[in-house]
Structure formats: C-alpha cells, structure tokens
Amino acid sequence: MNQVNIGLLGVGTVGSGVVEILNNNAEIIKKRLGFDLNLKRVCSKSISDKAKKIVQNVLTDSYKDLFQDDIDIVIELVGGYDFAKNFILQAIENKKSVVTANKALLARHGFEIFSKAFENKVDVGYEAAVAGGIPIIKAIKESLSANNINSIKAIVNGTCNYILTEMFKKEVSFEDALKDAQQKGFAEADPTFDIEGMDSAHKMAILSSISFGDNVTEYDVFTEGIKEISLLDIKFANEFGYTIKLLGITRLVDDKIDVRVHPTMVKKSDILAKTDGEYNAIKIKCDMADDTVYIGKGAGSLPTASAVVADVMDIARNIKHNSPLRIPLMSFPFNYVRKREVVDINSLEMDYYLRFSVEDSAGVLSKISGILGENGISIKSVVQLNKGENWVPLIIVTHKAKEKSIQEALEKIHKLDVVKSKTLLIRIDDE
Ligand code: HSE
C-alpha cells in the first residue's frame, strides 16, 4: 500500500481548505509520511468552482460511497448534529477512521462516538474542533502527557476576540464591531453560537475532557456571552488595569470540575490580554512543565484545514503501522474516564466589576453599598460617571467575594427603585 485513501464529506470553508492543502502540499505531505494521501472520493451539497476543478473526477452524490472498501479515512466537515452524527457512526461501523472539526457534536455526543470507535478499533481525529490551526489537542493528549494539568485559561473564539479588540481600539459599540466582523468574514451571518459563548463552551468541554480524563459535555459548562459588554466597560477595565476577554476556564477543584465561559477582566500584563483580533490563545498550567501558551488562528479555511490534514496524516501512519488507537481517543484509556461533579459557580470567590444603572440622586450610593456590606462584600473602588442625565452608570469593583453573596446582593439591589436596569457583572481574573 503506497497510499492511504480518503473520503471527504463537505466542501465548505474548511473542506475547500482541505482540498487545497492536499493538492498544493502533496509533496511535503508525502515527504513527511513516506507515502501519498489520496483524495479518493468527495461528497458535498455545494462546492466552489476552485475546489470543483481539483476534485471533479472524484465527486459523488451519495455519502454512502465514502464507506466503500477502498476508503481508509473519512473526513466529516458538514457540521451540525443529527446528520453528522449518523454519518460518523456509520463510517465507524464500516471500520473507517474519522477526522472531524465538529466541536458542537463532540461536546454533546463525543463519548458515544469515541466508545463506538474504540469498539470498532478505529481512530477519531478532532484537532480542528478546538482553536483551528493551533495544535492544542495534540499538545494535551501527547506533548503534556507526563503532567497533571492544573488549569486552562483560554480565548477560543476568534469572533468574540475580534469584536472586543475592535471595540477597544476603534472605540466602537458592540453592534458596530459585530457588523465589521461579519463584513470581514470573521463572524458568521448568524453569530449566536459565538457571541453567546456556546462555541467557546463546546471547545472548553472538549479541552476539559481530555485534560482531566472526564466526560465533560456542553451542559456542564457555565456559559455567558459578550452581548452586554459596552464600550464603557472596556474603557473602565483599561483604567483599572484590565482587558475584557471572553475567557474559557477549566480546572479541578477538590476533584470537581470548574468549567466556565464568561467575559472576564484579565490583567493587562497577562499574555491572554495581549492576544488581539481574531487570534486564539490557550494557557495551560501543568505541575511539571509549568505554564505553556499556544497562540494562533482559531478559525479560517487553511488554518483549520491544516489541523484536519495533520490528523489524517497521524491516522494514516497508524493504519500503515497497524496500530489504531495508539493514543487513547479521549486522552485517557476508557477505564480512567470518569464523570465528575461540576463546581457550582455560586461557591466560587473572586473580585467583581459591577456596573449599575442608577438615578443620580442623594443616598443612592449608600443604599447600594449598604446592601453590598450587609452581604459581606467589601468595595475596592467606586466610580460614578456624571453624564448630566437622570440615569448614570455607577461602577463598583469589589474585593474578593463569594458569587452567591454577589448574586443575593444584586437581587436585593434590583428591587430598589433608584436602579434602572439589570446590573452588568464581570468576573475579574486576578491570578
Ligand atoms: N466561529 C469560531 C470563531 C470558529 O469565531 O472562533 C469556529 O469554531
């Protein structure tokens, strides 16, 4: 066998990148592998003219053609849940190894898919599912495997990072920054998954699972998006020495998993705060290697396709050496994979940034600070903007407080008639 045959489902943004890499980089791929990767069959509802030119002789209308005997590895790049899941499970039953970029699917049904692959002795590669071109899955599963991973802090959504960076640098509103991101092709036409934090939650579920030997799903991740962040908050964060990022955090606390995605104030000196635009950054704290940081393009056709093709190459090597499942699919053998309890966010303690919208009149500050005090919350700084209007922003930064106390205090504060609307809360990372 001087080649390994591939079937590709879906030639959209990432799929056309895969076609381009397999075509343009065939020589370096062959040099590294010692054999060819052959794109044997391609199935796609729609396809760009550029990609069609390259694959027209191998196009098929039936996805089932990708399960024929002459295919060794199938790549799933259609995204979504039901069809993609059925396709992958059928491929596995047909003894095909699978490569996918489908983070949403893996964050919901990963365990089922990996178990099925294990039973059928085939591999599943998913490097492209987290942070596109950054080789983070391999780093965790292989390069850091001699370590206990203590925590991961990460920017894993380029759309949100681009929006927050643009708001700060160009002093524009969230809406304008989002429009700009869409025009430049960084944000989807429907950016809900990105801006509401779900895309980051999917990625953090996957990273948590392979870091701790757990079956963390999207449902375990506490998730808040960036829609409520205003330019005002970004400016204040800057004054206080922070940058606001949509941060994914995962760590083990007393053998429970603390996994969350929310806007976070990160110290300006932190490498994560300095990661701008559409870039992703992942900081892993380990017991032996200490901190390692990975930065790169987390989306886009070629960066993501580069991760897909690297997975295909790894699996092709396993096929050549008859060593499927050499690296455990979930980073740990299945008998070590557990389902730990998830930490309740209410039990956490940290500093908080609170932006109230209040009436500008006598006694308002004392009412609010009174309630905070009654709930054991100590104030670090207070700023009130005098905009000459009836309702003004009042910003309070707290010392370390319990999330539960903060939420209880906010509930009481919202009942005050001097408070106009829901308070914005941003958690502060002061590590
Ligand atoms: N939409 C994602 C992002 C890339 O903006 O980072 C795909 O997960």
Side-chain angles (χ1 to χ4, degrees):
M1 183 173 69
N2 58 2
Q3 63 184 31
V4 164
N5 290 323
I6 300 155
L8 168 63
L9 178 73
V11 189
T13 307
V14 181
S16 52
V18 168
V19 169
E20 193 175 331
I21 292 176
L22 289 175
N23 190 56
N24 294 3
N25 277 8
E27 200 180 319
I28 184 67
I29 290 170
K30 183 177 182 171
K31 276 185 186 160
R32 288 193 202 270
L33 286 177
F35 54 88
D36 281 310
L37 288 184
N38 177 33
L39 191 53
K40 183 86 180 172
R41 215 155 285 130
V42 174
C43 177
S44 188
K45 264 193 185 157
S46 61
I47 183 165
S48 68
D49 290 344
K50 192 174 164 201
K52 196 169 183 178
K53 243 188 212 162
I54 302 172
V55 299
Q56 56 195 354
N57 294 333
V58 294
L59 276 176
T60 172
D61 289 334
S62 168
Y63 73 86
K64 292 200 171 156
D65 287 346
L66 307 186
F67 305 148
Q68 285 176 14
D69 288 348
D70 55 358
I71 301 276
D72 303 297
I73 303 169
V74 297
I75 305 173
E76 178 278 307
L77 295 175
V78 286
Y81 292 103
D82 294 344
F83 177 67
K85 183 181 172 203
N86 283 333
F87 172 81
I88 288 177
L89 292 178
Q90 279 185 54
I92 290 171
E93 279 161 11
N94 282 282
K95 310 290 177 197
K96 311 296 173 202
S97 283
V98 175
V99 174
T100 178
N102 195 333
K103 64 226 75 166
L105 181 65
L106 293 180
R108 192 175 289 180
H109 300 293
F111 191 78
E112 183 186 343
I113 289 169
F114 297 133
S115 306
K116 182 69 121 193
F118 183 71
E119 277 167 33
N120 284 277
K121 299 192 174 53
V122 294
D123 279 305
V124 179
Y126 49 99
E127 183 64 72
V130 182
I134 304 176
I136 195 64
I137 302 289
K138 201 179 184 81
I140 295 173
K141 281 172 74 170
E142 299 182 47
S143 317
L144 296 172
S145 59
N147 288 259
N148 284 290
I149 291 179
N150 299 329
S151 68
I152 298 180
K153 290 186 180 169
I155 297 166
V156 279
N157 187 273
T159 303
C160 290
N161 207 38
Y162 181 83
I163 291 173
L164 293 170
T165 306
E166 285 295 290
M167 285 171 76
F168 177 60
K169 292 208 165 145
K170 305 218 170 113
E171 303 211 346
V172 292
S173 67
F174 172 82
E175 289 75 19
D176 287 345
L178 171 59
K179 249 184 250 154
D180 179 51
Q182 283 169 321
Q183 272 159 12
K184 295 216 169 92
F186 294 130
E188 309 278 343
D190 177 2
T192 313
F193 261 43
D194 295 311
I195 62 178
E196 293 194 351
M198 275 112 77
D199 176 76
S200 297
H202 296 150
K203 292 164 181 168
M204 292 312 294
I206 295 170
L207 292 184
S208 307
S209 293
I210 62 169
S211 296
F212 306 126
D214 208 286
N215 172 20
V216 179
T217 72
E218 60 178 331
Y219 305 113
D220 296 319
V221 186
F222 174 89
T223 307
E224 281 177 2
I226 61 164
K227 265 193 326 200
E228 316 296 330
I229 306 292
S230 70
L231 180 56
L232 184 79
D233 304 311
I234 289 181
K235 284 186 173 172
F236 268 109
N238 185 50
E239 305 250 314
F240 292 133
Y242 298 98
T243 303
I244 301 177
K245 295 290 183 189
L246 182 68
L247 218 60
I249 298 169
T250 186
R251 56 189 190 133
L252 281 184
V253 181
D254 300 331
D255 208 35
K256 290 184 191 172
I257 297 210
D258 171 25
V259 57
R260 42 199 162 94
V261 168
H262 49 67
T264 308
M265 288 202 181
V266 183
K267 272 193 191 142
K268 277 199 261 184
S269 55
D270 192 313
I271 187 88
L272 295 174
K274 294 178 184 167
T275 304
D276 281 342
E278 75 273 29
Y279 279 81
N280 284 193
I282 299 147
K283 183 157 76 175
I284 306 186
K285 204 176 254 313
C286 290
D287 59 352
M288 298 297 148
D290 205 352
D291 282 3
T292 55
V293 183
Y294 310 79
I295 298 177
K297 290 197 171 156
S301 178
L302 291 175
T304 311
S306 149
V308 170
V309 177
D311 268 351
V312 172
M313 290 170 73
D314 267 354
I315 294 174
R317 289 183 180 112
N318 286 357
I319 290 173
K320 274 282 185 185
H321 292 275
N322 197 19
S323 56
L325 303 172
R326 197 176 62 82
I327 313 292
L329 294 169
M330 296 186 73
S331 185
F332 292 74
F334 278 106
N335 53 331
Y336 283 103
V337 177
R338 300 166 52 193
K339 184 78 197 162
R340 291 178 178 85
E341 242 181 86
V342 173
V343 171
D344 179 356
I345 189 138
N346 279 312
S347 68
L348 297 180
E349 270 187 32
M350 61 195 109
D351 295 2
Y352 292 84
Y353 165 99
L354 306 169
R355 171 169 49 83
F356 301 95
S357 183
V358 296
E359 200 176 283
D360 193 5
S361 59
V364 172
L365 180 59
S366 77
K367 277 185 190 159
I368 291 177
S369 60
I371 294 176
L372 291 175
E374 282 161 23
N375 284 271
I377 298 159
S378 167
I379 292 172
K380 193 189 275 180
S381 27
V382 182
V383 184
Q384 187 194 296
L385 273 195
N386 186 348
K387 291 167 79 187
E389 292 162 11
N390 250 2
W391 299 102
V392 292
L394 170 70
I395 284 129
I396 294 185
V397 175
T398 74
H399 282 293
K400 198 172 260 213
K402 264 219 155 80
E403 173 100 11
K404 186 168 188 283
S405 312
I406 292 277
Q407 297 294 354
E408 284 172 1
L410 290 184
E411 212 178 305
K412 288 181 205 159
I413 291 169
H414 288 153
K415 289 188 183 138
L416 299 174
D417 51 12
V418 292
V419 175
K420 185 184 166 201
S421 50
K422 199 170 166 256
T423 302
L424 178 82
L425 171 161
I426 305 179
R427 298 172 183 87
I428 299 178
D429 178 58
D430 245 335
E431 199 179 58

